[in-house]
Amino acid sequence: MRAHVKTVITNLTFGIGATLLVLMILQITLNAVLRAAFDAPLDGSVEIVTNYYMVGFSFLPMALAHIESRHIDASFLHDRMPRGLRLAADWLGQILGVVVVGLIIYQSYLDAMKKTAVRAYAISGNSQIPIWLCYWLLPVCFTLLLLTLLIYPIIGQRNAQPTETGVE
């Protein structure tokens, strides 16, 4: 089951990430060509890149990083603790993680609802670029992280810890 969950999250993360990357490359290339050839850049390129692509690139990989134990880790103290204390610290960290991520989901959901209600947009040149949709990226990305925080203690420990170089 753990391998299946990891496969689903990996495929979802890489699929969405690759799609965002290709779209960003195409948009930036088209913008550069139109600007250079016709002095007519695409309105809203900066807004779309910063509000959609960069938010996706920043927050989408969090669940995968959690599964693969790739977050920044200060284990110098943890590794010196007795086994029982380490287990207690791990569970406390897990519970705090669930609470904090849950609060982030709640607040980002409220923000997304507000921006959706007013159909938030950014003005670029003569265009209104809808940005209310990008506010939904945070609740989605953090919900994926929350699912990994809740599922992984049930189905087994995360993958082996990375080596000092980060390469297994």
Side-chain angles (χ1 to χ4, degrees), residues 88-111:
D90 289 345
W91 276 104
L92 178 62
Q94 190 75 15
I95 291 166
L96 287 173
V98 167
V99 170
V100 169
V101 170
L103 290 171
I104 292 170
I105 292 168
Y106 176 71
Q107 186 59 54
S108 62
Y109 170 78
L110 293 177
D111 293 343

Side-chain angles (χ1 to χ4, degrees), residues 52-92:
Y52 287 94
Y53 301 133
M54 291 301 148
V55 172
F57 292 145
S58 299
F59 294 102
L60 185 62
M62 288 189 311
L64 185 60
H66 175 71
I67 288 172
E68 294 189 352
S69 298
R70 299 291 184 188
H71 288 295
I72 294 172
D73 191 290
S75 61
F76 66 93
L77 182 60
H78 183 269
D79 292 346
R80 291 180 174 86
M81 291 179 180
R83 181 169 162 37
L85 194 53
R86 271 197 321 254
L87 185 60
D90 289 345
W91 276 104
L92 178 62

Side-chain angles (χ1 to χ4, degrees), residues 2 6 67-70 157-163 168:
R2 188 174 82 204
K6 181 181 176 190
I67 288 172
E68 294 189 352
S69 298
R70 299 291 184 188
Q157 293 298 318
R158 292 181 284 171
N159 292 347
Q161 294 294 323
T163 61
E168 294 179 21

